[in-house]
Amino acid sequence: MKKSKMRSEASSSSNNSNRKGETVVGDCGTCRSSCGYCKSSGRTSITHGLWAYSVTVDDYQDLLDRGWRRSGSFLYKPDMERTCCPSYTIRLRASDFAPSKEQRRVSRRMQRFLDGTVDVEKKSVELIKDPSTSNCNKVSSSVENNSLSHNNEENNKEEEILQFLSGQIDNAVQLCIVSGQFLSGIQLPKASVKKVSQAKRKLLVEGMENLLYTSNIAFQLAATLNRAQLAEKDVQQIRVFGQSIEDTGPSPKIIAAKLASSLIQLAETSGLSIRACNGHLNFYSAMKQASLDEDVHIGTVSKESAKTCESKGGCLKNSSEHPQAKRHKLQIRLKRSSFDPQEFELYRRYQIKVHNDKPDQVTETSYRRFLVDSPLVFVPPSGDDTVPPCGFGSFHQQYLIDDRLVAVGVIDILPRCLSSKYLFWDPDYAFLSLGKYSALQEISWVKENQTHCPTLQYYYLGYYIHSCRKMRYKAAYHPSELLCPLRYQWVPYDIARPLLDRKPYVVLSDFASLQNESSPCISENVMGCQHDDIGQGDSNDVRMDYDYDDEMLDPESESDDDEPDTETSRQTVGVEDGDISNIVIRGQGTRVRYKVNMETCQS
């Protein structure tokens, strides 16, 4: 492996005179691997790789602005013309951010949770737990049935249960989206659970169960997913729940079965049996034969009956007074990247539960290599409005609720941006949409710290992959820009999108001429794409079994027929605020400046 040194000098930037350092990298050459986005069977993901021993924050900022990313200490840049899923660097100017309705809803939901107004999980579980204790309910009913206020209270509690169950289904849907089993980037319907009337309840002979609640959300999801798939006009096979379904989405029966399996934990804590039946998601209660004719009464017991029931368990343990809403405390802590056993355990749970990784695949070694190791040279705060109070470098941003670690964002803080690398979170808190919430917090952090460091203006979201539906959510942070893969100019997403709808690889800075082209639309066919030159090999090819899926939430073609002309491909366009002409490359006893080397190549 050839080593090179890049020395950051004061002349290369007016703002980094106090940040001298050295970038030392080893050239890994062309790297081929299977693709985590299109799930191709071959090694169709093609990148150029560098192993970084140390990298200054200024050099890494300039590398980001030329399409590079890092995974641990491995730097990589997609070969945009040959790789199966072209990846465009995407960024957002924080001060211009305009949150969408859904993003504002995420913030409000978190605030209501912290205020205690949506903390109904514990109370609702108590209300529906062990409904077989019907004798207690009978006592309660005989004492309070004649009270109008009690009837109103009972209706309110019944509504709480329905809302709670609906929320749990929505959480299961979100997990399916994150794990790639449902399409992302589309608005899915919210679940609605209804109580089944006594006349319509069907008693199951096996297990002696009684149908209490039901939801038809699977039918609504199936219809929405089918419409979205038809709108995409993709002639491809989409992997859904391990099946290959051509030109059609999952059936309501499949969706209901998947949601039921995702609600196992709820079944264990609530005492309910949750099963799919002909596309419906049903909630059953185990009932004793003697009490089958009695309606399940979920109300507040009187003080006298509460004492009787308390010893038997399963009934409410408090009086008829409304319990005080439980408030929660959210803490966000920023720490320099280092191994933390608590973070690793959370990462392990997240990978196994959300991404279905096998336990033996989630090791401490792979975690350190992927999310802890960093080649970035830390720059401490300077107090002169050139460095934020935390400094520049690699960090972990921890989110704690009531002192419990629920999410960790892995980020790099650089002279001009906060670059988001990965996020892992507690599956028990999926209902808070922590992925979206953390992105909003990171955008806010950039805006707040501009007062300490005026050059820090952007939020980088990693790579945007238009040919992969799962990665399109990044464009929801509006207004974003994509990096042109040839001239390294930033192009507004709204201009780039129609070009990318036609083919995966586009020289975005040519948008004026490309918009006027009358070329036919090209099917992306991202699941089975092959390139003519993939199998030809390269003398510098190396097999990289390194996991460099760098995205915040999770990973998810046709060859370009617009070949750039010779003169265009040889242009050298300066990067915004960046100048790498003074980088010194050293190898085999020689020292050559990048600027001199490029002039020699072009002459």
Side-chain angles (χ1 to χ4, degrees):
M1 183 185 298
K2 183 186 294 184
K3 279 189 182 181
S4 299
K5 285 190 178 183
M6 305 177 185
R7 177 162 294 130
S8 225
E9 299 186 359
S11 59
S12 66
S13 175
S14 61
N15 293 324
N16 67 354
S17 58
N18 61 336
R19 299 198 293 268
K20 290 184 179 180
E22 193 169 56
T23 295
V24 181
V25 297
D27 189 357
C28 298
T30 300
C31 310
R32 301 174 184 267
S33 66
S34 58
C35 183
Y37 300 104
C38 67
K39 311 295 183 183
S40 61
S41 57
R43 305 184 73 80
T44 58
S45 177
I46 306 175
T47 64
H48 193 93
L50 298 173
W51 186 261
Y53 298 92
S54 65
V55 179
T56 66
V57 292
D58 295 287
D59 284 341
Y60 186 57
Q61 175 72 72
D62 291 341
L63 287 170
L64 281 184
D65 291 335
R66 294 204 171 208
W68 291 80
R69 295 285 290 173
R70 77 172 185 89
S71 176
S73 295
F74 182 70
L75 307 180
Y76 61 99
K77 179 181 180 179
D79 186 331
M80 297 289 280
E81 295 185 75
R82 296 195 298 164
T83 193
C84 56
C85 296
S87 308
Y88 299 82
T89 301
I90 183 171
R91 76 175 186 181
L92 163 77
R93 186 186 289 270
S95 60
D96 294 340
F97 175 56
S100 66
K101 181 178 179 181
E102 171 61 24
Q103 289 159 354
R104 291 194 298 268
R105 185 182 297 118
V106 169
S107 296
R108 291 196 299 267
R109 184 188 305 131
M110 173 63 80
Q111 191 57 54
R112 291 197 301 269
F113 173 76
L114 297 178
D115 292 339
T117 57
V118 294
D119 186 24
V120 298
E121 179 173 354
K122 182 177 179 181
K123 184 164 57 176
S124 299
V125 168
E126 288 179 343
L127 289 170
I128 59 181
K129 187 176 181 181
D130 196 7
S132 62
T133 56
S134 57
N135 290 333
C136 297
N137 292 326
K138 289 181 181 179
V139 174
S140 173
S141 179
S142 64
V143 174
E144 299 178 282
N145 255 351
N146 294 327
S147 170
L148 180 61
S149 61
H150 165 72
N151 289 337
N152 291 335
E153 184 178 343
E154 181 178 344
N155 292 334
N156 291 337
K157 292 185 180 298
E158 190 72 54
E159 183 63 27
E160 277 187 2
I161 295 173
L162 297 179
Q163 291 179 0
F164 169 70
L165 295 178
S166 299
Q168 294 300 304
I169 296 176
D170 290 337
N171 294 344
V173 171
Q174 289 299 316
L175 286 175
C176 290
I177 294 174
V178 171
S179 59
Q181 298 171 94
F182 290 165
L183 296 181
S184 63
I186 60 175
Q187 187 69 36
L188 293 178
K190 296 294 184 180
S192 176
V193 176
K194 297 181 179 179
K195 182 179 179 180
V196 180
S197 64
Q198 181 69 27
K200 294 183 179 180
R201 290 181 182 172
K202 296 180 180 180
L203 176 64
L204 299 181
V205 176
E206 183 179 355
M208 307 303 290
E209 292 175 316
N210 204 18
L211 177 61
L212 298 180
Y213 311 103
T214 187
S215 175
N216 64 353
I217 184 60
F219 292 91
Q220 301 174 47
L221 290 172
T224 302
L225 293 171
N226 283 329
R227 285 195 299 269
Q229 185 170 327
L230 291 175
E232 289 289 341
K233 298 180 180 179
D234 282 333
V235 185
Q236 63 178 353
Q237 290 187 340
I238 298 179
R239 292 165 49 113
V240 182
F241 308 141
Q243 301 182 6
S244 292
I245 303 174
E246 187 167 0
D247 291 331
T248 183
S251 68
K253 290 184 179 180
I254 294 177
I255 292 178
K258 181 61 181 177
L259 295 177
S261 65
S262 299
L263 293 170
I264 294 178
Q265 185 176 1
L266 173 63
E268 294 174 350
T269 57
S270 67
L272 295 177
S273 175
I274 306 172
R275 293 200 298 275
C277 181
N278 295 324
H280 292 273
L281 192 60
N282 293 338
F283 299 81
Y284 300 88
S285 174
M287 300 293 291
K288 295 182 179 179
Q289 182 67 39
S291 60
L292 289 178
D293 295 332
E294 297 291 334
D295 192 5
V296 177
H297 179 79
I298 306 177
T300 305
V301 299
S302 65
K303 293 182 179 179
E304 292 80 5
S305 59
K307 294 178 180 178
T308 305
C309 299
E310 192 168 348
S311 60
K312 299 182 179 180
C315 293
L316 290 176
K317 299 182 180 181
N318 57 344
S319 68
S320 59
E321 298 177 359
H322 290 288
Q324 197 71 18
K326 180 181 179 181
R327 298 178 64 87
H328 300 276
K329 180 179 68 174
L330 172 66
Q331 294 175 286
I332 302 178
R333 300 174 181 171
L334 187 64
K335 58 185 285 289
R336 289 182 59 185
S337 181
S338 62
F339 180 78
D340 184 323
Q342 190 178 11
E343 290 183 354
F344 172 66
E345 287 305 317
L346 178 61
Y347 170 78
R348 181 178 174 84
R349 287 189 59 224
Y350 169 78
Q351 293 295 132
I352 295 173
K353 180 71 174 179
V354 177
H355 293 292
N356 300 315
D357 285 1
K358 295 180 180 179
D360 58 355
Q361 294 177 328
V362 189
T363 64
E364 182 179 318
T365 300
S366 64
Y367 168 72
R368 285 178 179 270
R369 183 181 62 182
F370 180 32
L371 297 177
V372 177
D373 294 346
S374 173
L376 298 189
V377 179
F378 177 71
V379 177
S382 59
D384 58 358
D385 291 337
T386 61
V387 181
C390 62
F392 291 135
S394 299
F395 298 86
H396 286 191
Q397 186 149 279
Q398 299 180 331
Y399 296 79
L400 298 94
I401 294 179
D402 300 331
D403 297 322
R404 173 179 174 177
L405 185 66
V406 298
V408 177
V410 182
I411 61 176
D412 292 327
I413 298 176
L414 304 172
R416 296 192 294 276
C417 75
L418 182 154
S419 175
S420 185
K421 175 176 167 54
Y422 202 77
L423 178 89
F424 52 94
W425 39 267
D426 191 331
D428 292 343
Y429 289 82
F431 66 96
L432 289 176
S433 302
L434 291 171
K436 295 177 182 178
Y437 183 78
S438 66
L440 298 176
Q441 289 299 308
E442 289 168 358
I443 294 172
S444 297
W445 187 93
V446 174
K447 291 193 289 187
E448 292 170 1
N449 280 270
Q450 285 181 5
T451 58
H452 304 290
C453 181
T455 62
L456 206 163
Q457 299 182 19
Y458 292 95
Y459 178 58
Y460 282 50
L461 295 89
Y463 285 136
Y464 173 82
I465 305 176
H466 194 70
S467 58
C468 176
R469 289 191 187 90
K470 285 182 63 177
M471 303 307 297
R472 294 188 183 183
Y473 75 91
K474 296 185 178 185
Y477 297 89
H478 186 79
S480 54
E481 302 173 303
L482 300 183
L483 183 67
C484 174
L486 179 63
R487 298 187 181 91
Y488 308 121
Q489 297 173 350
W490 294 97
V491 177
Y493 172 78
D494 291 339
I495 292 177
R497 178 175 179 175
L499 306 178
L500 295 172
D501 283 339
R502 287 154 52 178
K503 49 192 171 185
Y505 173 73
V506 179
V507 179
L508 297 177
S509 56
D510 287 340
F511 62 87
S513 59
L514 290 173
Q515 284 177 326
N516 296 326
E517 286 183 1
S518 57
S519 58
C521 294
I522 300 175
S523 171
E524 293 170 359
N525 194 21
V526 297
M527 302 304 292
C529 161
Q530 297 291 336
H531 294 278
D532 293 337
D533 60 350
I534 284 180
Q536 295 179 1
D538 188 298
S539 60
N540 291 325
D541 283 1
V542 294
R543 176 169 178 164
M544 294 298 296
D545 294 320
Y546 200 94
D547 179 11
Y548 49 91
D549 294 328
D550 74 312
E551 304 309 332
M552 293 186 295
L553 294 183
D554 357 51
E556 242 336 81
S557 228
E558 190 102 6
S559 295
D560 180 23
D561 55 2
D562 290 334
E563 292 292 334
D565 58 51
T566 304
E567 292 300 319
T568 302
S569 63
R570 287 165 58 179
Q571 290 182 5
T572 57
V573 180
V575 182
E576 175 185 319
D577 294 330
D579 183 2
I580 61 174
S581 62
N582 284 307
I583 288 178
V584 179
I585 303 176
R586 187 177 70 182
Q588 298 181 348
T590 63
R591 293 172 60 88
V592 181
R593 290 188 182 275
Y594 177 83
K595 180 178 180 180
V596 175
N597 190 43
M598 288 300 298
E599 290 174 349
T600 301
C601 292
Q602 293 180 20
S603 60

